[in-house]
Amino acid sequence: MEGAETPQVIVLFDGYSKTEKNFMLANCSCTLIKGPPHVIVDTMTAWDCEKLRKALIANDLSCEDIDFVICTHGHSDHIGCNYLFPKAVHIVGFSISQEDIYFNHDFKSGKEKVISDKVTVIPTPGHTMQDVSVIVKTCNGVVAITGDLFEKEEDLHDDSIWKSAGSDSEELQMKNRKKILEMADFIVPGHGPMFKVDK
Ligand SMILES: [Zn+2]
């Protein structure tokens, strides 16, 4: 039987994006992987720190308990509250750092970063050339937290949704979307609620 260390994926805030007349309204999905190790994936905008802190408290954690902050890529709506977690190792796209130390890791050649035996970070470029996804083995199956590799569930049937959200390489993004769909049972997309992968 899987023990207490099996991680729990808790989406703290569902991401969203919609186009208004003169601007776009968007924020990312923010996900807690409750371990240990405890991981936050994507920290929303710089204006969300108080609500993020409160959401952690509601899950019996404080910012100091977080071991890893993982940002699927470096856009401002995914990194805004990273500073709340000074004790964590920060992985932002392909960059891994803690304080002023930058660790070598060859995501570029496809190498995954192992966080625990149930949590890994894999390179999934496309939206930006340095996007990563977090793969979590839970009791309910494999959850992939992908950032903007998937914008929202609707983009499974309408490629224009993820393409118009910006793609530095549509070819790579297409390839990595396919790879994630094959390995995951659930996907937490960058800007929509978690969805089940129809196998
Ligand atoms: Zn985004």
Side-chain angles (χ1 to χ4, degrees):
M1 248 343 261
E2 312 240 69
E5 84 278 4
T6 299
Q8 228 188 320
V9 173
I10 301 165
V11 179
L12 297 176
F13 299 97
D14 284 335
Y16 56 87
S17 63
K18 71 179 192 207
T19 309
E20 300 285 342
K21 237 187 215 158
N22 301 315
F23 57 91
M24 200 172 99
L25 213 54
N27 209 342
C28 72
S29 303
C30 174
T31 308
L32 167 67
I33 304 168
K34 206 170 179 182
H38 304 302
V39 182
I40 285 279
V41 185
D42 286 340
T43 62
M44 305 184 284
T45 78
W47 288 266
D48 297 308
C49 299
E50 211 38 55
K51 77 179 199 193
L52 177 48
R53 205 199 304 264
K54 282 183 184 153
L56 286 177
I57 291 168
N59 284 283
D60 303 314
L61 291 172
S62 74
C63 294
E64 286 69 36
D65 295 323
I66 299 300
D67 302 295
F68 290 88
V69 173
I70 303 173
C71 300
T72 55
H73 60 293
H75 288 164
S76 60
D77 56 331
H78 295 257
I79 61 167
C81 300
N82 286 12
Y83 79 91
L84 283 179
F85 308 102
K87 295 210 170 138
V89 171
H90 290 215
I91 303 177
V92 180
F94 285 7
S95 152
I96 306 179
S97 65
Q98 190 167 36
E99 298 186 26
D100 58 355
I101 303 165
Y102 283 78
F103 301 96
N104 293 323
H105 186 88
D106 199 4
F107 279 119
K108 207 172 170 185
S109 302
K111 193 178 170 201
E112 63 180 33
K113 165 79 181 163
V114 176
I115 302 296
S116 73
D117 60 337
K118 303 229 166 38
V119 181
T120 53
V121 184
I122 64 169
T124 51
H127 174 66
T128 74
M129 293 310 281
Q130 299 206 350
D131 269 49
V132 295
S133 294
V134 186
I135 308 299
V136 191
K137 290 178 189 149
T138 73
C139 297
N140 302 316
V142 174
V143 181
I145 306 161
T146 67
D148 297 1
L149 182 65
F150 294 87
E151 176 82 357
K152 52 187 69 169
E153 183 175 11
E154 290 82 348
D155 80 15
L156 291 179
H157 308 291
D158 182 355
D159 285 333
S160 74
I161 296 175
W162 63 265
K163 286 180 179 173
S164 67
S167 179
D168 286 349
S169 167
E170 291 183 357
E171 196 190 334
L172 270 179
Q173 190 161 347
M174 207 107 75
K175 188 179 133 214
N176 283 317
R177 284 165 60 88
K178 192 165 170 264
K179 176 172 155 179
I180 292 288
L181 286 170
E182 279 162 11
M183 68 198 288
D185 299 300
F186 296 90
I187 291 174
V188 179
H191 294 273
M194 176 158 65
F195 61 88
K196 192 173 189 337
V197 178
D198 204 3
K199 293 287 180 186

